[in-house]
Amino acid sequence: MDWNEKRKKRKELRDKIKKLQKEINELRETVSDYQTCQSDINLEIVHWDIKYKTYTGLELYSPIWMKDKFEGQAAEELGQMIPEAVRELQMTANLMRNVSAGIRDQITMIEEYIEELAAKISELWDQLAALE
């Protein structure tokens, strides 16, 4: 291989390395964004769990279920609204746990792909060094 062919091959290898490194950097930014999103979701899940425990631990929660314990239409409305609200809180928290797990899976797949790209970069550096 003459000097011009080697120079051309080195440039080609460096360009590939640069392109792969750029992709890795973009993927790392994506992972960071996903981790932020996952943290936000997990924080909301904690808030929902606290609200759930608060509502189910209220002294009023259990008596609302008992007939004739409270008087008036407001008590009946509360008796109908609180169980549904508590059920919705728990359902939403469970759905968001699934979303959080899905994000975690995506992060893992991206990190594995980053490792593959890093291995390719290492191979390209080895090829480049062999041309010297």
Side-chain angles (χ1 to χ4, degrees), residues 70-120:
F70 291 99
E71 295 178 6
Q73 191 172 359
E76 283 183 39
E77 289 177 18
L78 281 175
Q80 293 169 1
M81 292 170 53
I82 289 180
E84 182 62 28
V86 169
R87 199 171 21 261
E88 286 179 18
L89 273 173
Q90 196 57 28
M91 186 175 71
T92 302
N94 288 336
L95 290 172
M96 294 313 292
R97 281 185 185 87
N98 291 337
V99 170
S100 180
I103 292 172
R104 184 178 55 248
D105 292 344
Q106 290 295 314
I107 290 170
T108 299
M109 289 190 299
I110 292 171
E111 288 173 339
E112 289 170 357
Y113 183 59
I114 288 172
E115 288 175 16
E116 290 174 21
L117 294 178
K120 286 181 185 178

Short mmCIF file of all heavy atoms in Angstrom, two decimals, residues 70-120:
data_model
loop_
_atom_site.label_atom_id
_atom_site.label_comp_id
_atom_site.label_asym_id
_atom_site.label_seq_id
_atom_site.Cartn_x
_atom_site.Cartn_y
_atom_site.Cartn_z
N PHE A 70 -72.10 8.54 59.14
CA PHE A 70 -72.14 9.97 58.89
C PHE A 70 -73.53 10.36 58.43
O PHE A 70 -74.26 9.55 57.87
CB PHE A 70 -71.13 10.37 57.80
CG PHE A 70 -69.72 10.24 58.21
CD1 PHE A 70 -68.97 9.13 57.84
CD2 PHE A 70 -69.11 11.22 58.98
CE1 PHE A 70 -67.65 9.02 58.21
CE2 PHE A 70 -67.79 11.11 59.35
CZ PHE A 70 -67.06 10.00 58.97
N GLU A 71 -73.84 11.59 58.62
CA GLU A 71 -75.15 12.05 58.18
C GLU A 71 -75.00 13.04 57.05
O GLU A 71 -73.99 13.72 56.92
CB GLU A 71 -75.89 12.71 59.34
CG GLU A 71 -76.20 11.73 60.45
CD GLU A 71 -76.89 12.40 61.62
OE1 GLU A 71 -77.22 13.60 61.53
OE2 GLU A 71 -77.08 11.71 62.61
N GLY A 72 -75.98 13.09 56.22
CA GLY A 72 -76.02 14.09 55.16
C GLY A 72 -75.51 13.58 53.83
O GLY A 72 -74.86 12.54 53.74
N GLN A 73 -75.82 14.35 52.82
CA GLN A 73 -75.46 13.98 51.46
C GLN A 73 -73.95 14.06 51.24
O GLN A 73 -73.40 13.28 50.46
CB GLN A 73 -76.18 14.89 50.47
CG GLN A 73 -76.08 14.42 49.05
CD GLN A 73 -76.97 15.24 48.14
OE1 GLN A 73 -77.67 16.14 48.57
NE2 GLN A 73 -76.93 14.90 46.87
N ALA A 74 -73.27 14.98 51.90
CA ALA A 74 -71.82 15.12 51.74
C ALA A 74 -71.10 13.84 52.12
O ALA A 74 -70.16 13.41 51.45
CB ALA A 74 -71.30 16.29 52.55
N ALA A 75 -71.56 13.22 53.19
CA ALA A 75 -70.93 11.97 53.64
C ALA A 75 -71.12 10.87 52.59
O ALA A 75 -70.21 10.10 52.32
CB ALA A 75 -71.49 11.54 54.98
N GLU A 76 -72.29 10.81 52.00
CA GLU A 76 -72.54 9.80 50.97
C GLU A 76 -71.65 10.05 49.76
O GLU A 76 -71.08 9.10 49.19
CB GLU A 76 -74.00 9.83 50.54
CG GLU A 76 -74.93 9.16 51.53
CD GLU A 76 -76.37 9.16 51.01
OE1 GLU A 76 -76.56 8.95 49.80
OE2 GLU A 76 -77.25 9.37 51.84
N GLU A 77 -71.53 11.32 49.35
CA GLU A 77 -70.69 11.64 48.21
C GLU A 77 -69.23 11.30 48.48
O GLU A 77 -68.54 10.74 47.63
CB GLU A 77 -70.84 13.12 47.83
CG GLU A 77 -72.19 13.43 47.21
CD GLU A 77 -72.37 14.92 46.92
OE1 GLU A 77 -71.35 15.65 46.87
OE2 GLU A 77 -73.51 15.32 46.73
N LEU A 78 -68.76 11.64 49.69
CA LEU A 78 -67.39 11.26 50.05
C LEU A 78 -67.23 9.75 50.06
O LEU A 78 -66.22 9.23 49.60
CB LEU A 78 -67.03 11.82 51.44
CG LEU A 78 -66.65 13.28 51.52
CD1 LEU A 78 -66.43 13.68 52.97
CD2 LEU A 78 -65.40 13.54 50.71
N GLY A 79 -68.22 9.11 50.57
CA GLY A 79 -68.18 7.65 50.62
C GLY A 79 -68.07 7.03 49.24
O GLY A 79 -67.51 5.96 49.07
N GLN A 80 -68.60 7.71 48.24
CA GLN A 80 -68.54 7.19 46.87
C GLN A 80 -67.26 7.66 46.16
O GLN A 80 -66.73 6.95 45.31
CB GLN A 80 -69.76 7.65 46.08
CG GLN A 80 -71.05 7.02 46.59
CD GLN A 80 -72.29 7.67 45.98
OE1 GLN A 80 -72.18 8.58 45.19
NE2 GLN A 80 -73.46 7.19 46.39
N MET A 81 -66.77 8.83 46.51
CA MET A 81 -65.63 9.41 45.80
C MET A 81 -64.28 8.88 46.28
O MET A 81 -63.41 8.58 45.48
CB MET A 81 -65.64 10.93 45.92
CG MET A 81 -66.78 11.59 45.17
SD MET A 81 -66.99 13.34 45.54
CE MET A 81 -65.38 13.99 45.25
N ILE A 82 -64.10 8.75 47.59
CA ILE A 82 -62.79 8.39 48.12
C ILE A 82 -62.34 7.00 47.67
O ILE A 82 -61.22 6.86 47.19
CB ILE A 82 -62.74 8.54 49.65
CG1 ILE A 82 -62.75 10.03 49.99
CG2 ILE A 82 -61.51 7.88 50.24
CD1 ILE A 82 -62.70 10.35 51.45
N PRO A 83 -63.18 5.98 47.75
CA PRO A 83 -62.70 4.66 47.30
C PRO A 83 -62.27 4.67 45.83
O PRO A 83 -61.26 4.07 45.47
CB PRO A 83 -63.89 3.74 47.53
CG PRO A 83 -64.69 4.42 48.58
CD PRO A 83 -64.50 5.89 48.34
N GLU A 84 -63.03 5.39 45.00
CA GLU A 84 -62.68 5.46 43.57
C GLU A 84 -61.37 6.22 43.38
O GLU A 84 -60.52 5.80 42.60
CB GLU A 84 -63.81 6.12 42.78
CG GLU A 84 -63.56 6.18 41.30
CD GLU A 84 -63.42 4.83 40.63
OE1 GLU A 84 -64.00 3.84 41.12
OE2 GLU A 84 -62.71 4.76 39.61
N ALA A 85 -61.20 7.31 44.11
CA ALA A 85 -59.96 8.09 44.00
C ALA A 85 -58.76 7.27 44.46
O ALA A 85 -57.70 7.28 43.82
CB ALA A 85 -60.07 9.37 44.82
N VAL A 86 -58.94 6.54 45.53
CA VAL A 86 -57.86 5.69 46.05
C VAL A 86 -57.54 4.59 45.04
O VAL A 86 -56.37 4.30 44.76
CB VAL A 86 -58.24 5.09 47.42
CG1 VAL A 86 -57.26 4.01 47.84
CG2 VAL A 86 -58.31 6.19 48.47
N ARG A 87 -58.54 4.00 44.45
CA ARG A 87 -58.35 2.95 43.45
C ARG A 87 -57.61 3.52 42.22
O ARG A 87 -56.70 2.89 41.70
CB ARG A 87 -59.72 2.37 43.07
CG ARG A 87 -59.68 1.04 42.42
CD ARG A 87 -61.05 0.35 42.23
NE ARG A 87 -62.24 1.18 42.25
CZ ARG A 87 -63.05 1.33 43.31
NH1 ARG A 87 -62.80 0.69 44.42
NH2 ARG A 87 -64.12 2.10 43.23
N GLU A 88 -57.98 4.72 41.81
CA GLU A 88 -57.32 5.35 40.67
C GLU A 88 -55.87 5.70 40.98
O GLU A 88 -54.99 5.56 40.13
CB GLU A 88 -58.09 6.60 40.23
CG GLU A 88 -59.37 6.28 39.50
CD GLU A 88 -60.15 7.51 39.09
OE1 GLU A 88 -59.56 8.61 39.06
OE2 GLU A 88 -61.34 7.38 38.79
N LEU A 89 -55.62 6.17 42.21
CA LEU A 89 -54.24 6.44 42.61
C LEU A 89 -53.40 5.18 42.51
O LEU A 89 -52.29 5.21 41.96
CB LEU A 89 -54.19 6.94 44.06
CG LEU A 89 -54.37 8.42 44.32
CD1 LEU A 89 -54.46 8.68 45.82
CD2 LEU A 89 -53.23 9.20 43.73
N GLN A 90 -53.91 4.10 43.03
CA GLN A 90 -53.16 2.85 43.02
C GLN A 90 -52.98 2.33 41.60
O GLN A 90 -51.89 1.87 41.23
CB GLN A 90 -53.86 1.80 43.90
CG GLN A 90 -52.98 0.64 44.26
CD GLN A 90 -51.70 1.06 44.97
OE1 GLN A 90 -51.64 2.07 45.65
NE2 GLN A 90 -50.66 0.29 44.80
N MET A 91 -54.01 2.43 40.77
CA MET A 91 -53.92 1.97 39.39
C MET A 91 -52.89 2.80 38.62
O MET A 91 -52.06 2.26 37.89
CB MET A 91 -55.29 2.06 38.72
CG MET A 91 -55.31 1.47 37.32
SD MET A 91 -56.96 1.46 36.60
CE MET A 91 -57.19 3.21 36.28
N THR A 92 -52.93 4.11 38.80
CA THR A 92 -51.98 4.99 38.13
C THR A 92 -50.55 4.69 38.58
O THR A 92 -49.63 4.61 37.75
CB THR A 92 -52.31 6.46 38.39
OG1 THR A 92 -53.65 6.72 37.94
CG2 THR A 92 -51.36 7.39 37.68
N ALA A 93 -50.35 4.50 39.85
CA ALA A 93 -49.01 4.19 40.37
C ALA A 93 -48.51 2.87 39.78
O ALA A 93 -47.34 2.76 39.40
CB ALA A 93 -49.03 4.12 41.90
N ASN A 94 -49.37 1.89 39.68
CA ASN A 94 -48.97 0.61 39.09
C ASN A 94 -48.62 0.75 37.61
O ASN A 94 -47.64 0.17 37.14
CB ASN A 94 -50.06 -0.44 39.28
CG ASN A 94 -50.17 -0.90 40.71
OD1 ASN A 94 -49.22 -0.81 41.48
ND2 ASN A 94 -51.34 -1.38 41.10
N LEU A 95 -49.40 1.53 36.88
CA LEU A 95 -49.09 1.77 35.46
C LEU A 95 -47.75 2.48 35.32
O LEU A 95 -46.94 2.15 34.44
CB LEU A 95 -50.20 2.59 34.80
CG LEU A 95 -51.54 1.89 34.59
CD1 LEU A 95 -52.59 2.89 34.11
CD2 LEU A 95 -51.39 0.76 33.59
N MET A 96 -47.51 3.45 36.18
CA MET A 96 -46.25 4.19 36.10
C MET A 96 -45.06 3.33 36.52
O MET A 96 -43.96 3.52 36.02
CB MET A 96 -46.33 5.47 36.93
CG MET A 96 -47.34 6.47 36.38
SD MET A 96 -47.22 6.75 34.59
CE MET A 96 -45.65 7.58 34.48
N ARG A 97 -45.28 2.36 37.38
CA ARG A 97 -44.20 1.41 37.70
C ARG A 97 -43.82 0.63 36.44
O ARG A 97 -42.64 0.37 36.20
CB ARG A 97 -44.63 0.46 38.81
CG ARG A 97 -44.57 1.05 40.19
CD ARG A 97 -44.91 0.01 41.28
NE ARG A 97 -44.94 0.65 42.56
CZ ARG A 97 -46.01 1.25 43.10
NH1 ARG A 97 -47.15 1.29 42.44
NH2 ARG A 97 -45.94 1.82 44.29
N ASN A 98 -44.82 0.27 35.65
CA ASN A 98 -44.55 -0.45 34.39
C ASN A 98 -43.79 0.45 33.42
O ASN A 98 -42.87 0.00 32.74
CB ASN A 98 -45.85 -0.93 33.75
CG ASN A 98 -46.51 -2.04 34.55
OD1 ASN A 98 -45.87 -2.74 35.32
ND2 ASN A 98 -47.80 -2.19 34.38
N VAL A 99 -44.17 1.72 33.35
CA VAL A 99 -43.48 2.66 32.48
C VAL A 99 -42.03 2.81 32.93
O VAL A 99 -41.10 2.77 32.11
CB VAL A 99 -44.19 4.04 32.46
CG1 VAL A 99 -43.34 5.08 31.76
CG2 VAL A 99 -45.56 3.92 31.80
N SER A 100 -41.82 2.95 34.23
CA SER A 100 -40.47 3.09 34.77
C SER A 100 -39.63 1.86 34.44
O SER A 100 -38.46 1.99 34.06
CB SER A 100 -40.54 3.30 36.29
OG SER A 100 -39.25 3.44 36.82
N ALA A 101 -40.20 0.68 34.56
CA ALA A 101 -39.48 -0.55 34.23
C ALA A 101 -39.14 -0.58 32.74
O ALA A 101 -38.05 -1.00 32.35
CB ALA A 101 -40.30 -1.77 34.61
N GLY A 102 -40.05 -0.11 31.90
CA GLY A 102 -39.80 -0.06 30.46
C GLY A 102 -38.67 0.91 30.14
O GLY A 102 -37.82 0.62 29.28
N ILE A 103 -38.63 2.03 30.82
CA ILE A 103 -37.54 2.99 30.62
C ILE A 103 -36.21 2.37 31.04
O ILE A 103 -35.20 2.50 30.35
CB ILE A 103 -37.81 4.30 31.38
CG1 ILE A 103 -39.00 5.04 30.75
CG2 ILE A 103 -36.57 5.20 31.39
CD1 ILE A 103 -39.48 6.24 31.53
N ARG A 104 -36.24 1.67 32.16
CA ARG A 104 -35.02 1.00 32.64
C ARG A 104 -34.53 -0.01 31.60
O ARG A 104 -33.33 -0.09 31.32
CB ARG A 104 -35.28 0.32 33.99
CG ARG A 104 -34.04 -0.31 34.61
CD ARG A 104 -34.30 -0.94 35.97
NE ARG A 104 -35.37 -1.90 35.95
CZ ARG A 104 -36.56 -1.74 36.55
NH1 ARG A 104 -36.82 -0.65 37.23
NH2 ARG A 104 -37.49 -2.67 36.47
N ASP A 105 -35.45 -0.75 30.99
CA ASP A 105 -35.08 -1.71 29.95
C ASP A 105 -34.46 -1.00 28.74
O ASP A 105 -33.48 -1.48 28.17
CB ASP A 105 -36.29 -2.52 29.50
CG ASP A 105 -36.81 -3.46 30.58
OD1 ASP A 105 -36.08 -3.72 31.56
OD2 ASP A 105 -37.96 -3.93 30.45
N GLN A 106 -35.05 0.14 28.36
CA GLN A 106 -34.51 0.91 27.23
C GLN A 106 -33.10 1.41 27.54
O GLN A 106 -32.22 1.36 26.68
CB GLN A 106 -35.42 2.10 26.90
CG GLN A 106 -36.75 1.70 26.31
CD GLN A 106 -36.58 1.04 24.95
OE1 GLN A 106 -35.84 1.51 24.11
NE2 GLN A 106 -37.27 -0.06 24.75
N ILE A 107 -32.90 1.88 28.75
CA ILE A 107 -31.57 2.36 29.16
C ILE A 107 -30.56 1.23 29.05
O ILE A 107 -29.46 1.41 28.52
CB ILE A 107 -31.62 2.95 30.59
CG1 ILE A 107 -32.39 4.27 30.59
CG2 ILE A 107 -30.20 3.14 31.14
CD1 ILE A 107 -32.69 4.81 31.98
N THR A 108 -30.94 0.05 29.52
CA THR A 108 -30.03 -1.11 29.46
C THR A 108 -29.68 -1.45 28.02
O THR A 108 -28.51 -1.69 27.69
CB THR A 108 -30.69 -2.33 30.15
OG1 THR A 108 -30.93 -2.00 31.52
CG2 THR A 108 -29.79 -3.55 30.08
N MET A 109 -30.67 -1.45 27.13
CA MET A 109 -30.41 -1.76 25.72
C MET A 109 -29.49 -0.72 25.08
O MET A 109 -28.59 -1.06 24.32
CB MET A 109 -31.72 -1.89 24.95
CG MET A 109 -32.50 -3.15 25.30
SD MET A 109 -33.89 -3.53 24.23
CE MET A 109 -34.94 -2.11 24.44
N ILE A 110 -29.72 0.55 25.39
CA ILE A 110 -28.88 1.61 24.83
C ILE A 110 -27.45 1.48 25.36
O ILE A 110 -26.48 1.61 24.59
CB ILE A 110 -29.45 3.01 25.15
CG1 ILE A 110 -30.77 3.22 24.40
CG2 ILE A 110 -28.45 4.10 24.80
CD1 ILE A 110 -31.53 4.48 24.81
N GLU A 111 -27.31 1.19 26.64
CA GLU A 111 -25.96 1.03 27.20
C GLU A 111 -25.22 -0.16 26.58
O GLU A 111 -24.01 -0.08 26.34
CB GLU A 111 -26.04 0.90 28.72
CG GLU A 111 -26.39 2.21 29.39
CD GLU A 111 -26.64 2.09 30.88
OE1 GLU A 111 -26.94 0.98 31.37
OE2 GLU A 111 -26.56 3.13 31.57
N GLU A 112 -25.95 -1.23 26.29
CA GLU A 112 -25.33 -2.37 25.61
C GLU A 112 -24.89 -1.99 24.20
O GLU A 112 -23.81 -2.39 23.74
CB GLU A 112 -26.30 -3.56 25.58
CG GLU A 112 -26.50 -4.21 26.93
CD GLU A 112 -27.62 -5.23 26.95
OE1 GLU A 112 -28.31 -5.42 25.92
OE2 GLU A 112 -27.84 -5.84 28.01
N TYR A 113 -25.71 -1.21 23.53
CA TYR A 113 -25.37 -0.76 22.18
C TYR A 113 -24.14 0.17 22.22
O TYR A 113 -23.26 0.08 21.35
CB TYR A 113 -26.56 -0.05 21.54
CG TYR A 113 -26.33 0.39 20.12
CD1 TYR A 113 -25.99 -0.54 19.13
CD2 TYR A 113 -26.45 1.72 19.76
CE1 TYR A 113 -25.77 -0.13 17.82
CE2 TYR A 113 -26.23 2.13 18.45
CZ TYR A 113 -25.89 1.20 17.49
OH TYR A 113 -25.67 1.61 16.20
N ILE A 114 -24.07 1.02 23.23
CA ILE A 114 -22.90 1.89 23.40
C ILE A 114 -21.63 1.04 23.55
O ILE A 114 -20.59 1.36 22.96
CB ILE A 114 -23.08 2.84 24.61
CG1 ILE A 114 -24.12 3.92 24.28
CG2 ILE A 114 -21.75 3.48 25.01
CD1 ILE A 114 -24.52 4.78 25.46
N GLU A 115 -21.73 -0.04 24.31
CA GLU A 115 -20.58 -0.94 24.47
C GLU A 115 -20.17 -1.55 23.13
O GLU A 115 -18.97 -1.68 22.84
CB GLU A 115 -20.90 -2.04 25.48
CG GLU A 115 -20.98 -1.56 26.92
CD GLU A 115 -21.41 -2.65 27.89
OE1 GLU A 115 -21.36 -3.85 27.52
OE2 GLU A 115 -21.80 -2.30 29.01
N GLU A 116 -21.14 -1.92 22.30
CA GLU A 116 -20.84 -2.47 20.97
C GLU A 116 -20.12 -1.42 20.12
O GLU A 116 -19.14 -1.74 19.43
CB GLU A 116 -22.12 -2.92 20.27
CG GLU A 116 -22.78 -4.13 20.86
CD GLU A 116 -24.12 -4.44 20.21
OE1 GLU A 116 -24.38 -3.99 19.08
OE2 GLU A 116 -24.92 -5.15 20.85
N LEU A 117 -20.62 -0.19 20.15
CA LEU A 117 -19.99 0.88 19.38
C LEU A 117 -18.57 1.15 19.88
O LEU A 117 -17.66 1.38 19.07
CB LEU A 117 -20.83 2.15 19.44
CG LEU A 117 -22.20 2.10 18.76
CD1 LEU A 117 -22.94 3.43 18.96
CD2 LEU A 117 -22.08 1.77 17.29
N ALA A 118 -18.38 1.12 21.18
CA ALA A 118 -17.04 1.34 21.75
C ALA A 118 -16.08 0.24 21.30
O ALA A 118 -14.91 0.52 21.00
CB ALA A 118 -17.12 1.40 23.27
N ALA A 119 -16.58 -0.98 21.20
CA ALA A 119 -15.74 -2.09 20.72
C ALA A 119 -15.37 -1.88 19.25
O ALA A 119 -14.23 -2.13 18.85
CB ALA A 119 -16.47 -3.42 20.90
N LYS A 120 -16.32 -1.38 18.45
CA LYS A 120 -16.02 -1.09 17.05
C LYS A 120 -14.97 0.01 16.94
O LYS A 120 -14.05 -0.07 16.11
CB LYS A 120 -17.29 -0.65 16.31
CG LYS A 120 -18.25 -1.78 16.02
CD LYS A 120 -19.48 -1.27 15.28
CE LYS A 120 -20.50 -2.39 15.10
NZ LYS A 120 -21.72 -1.91 14.42
#
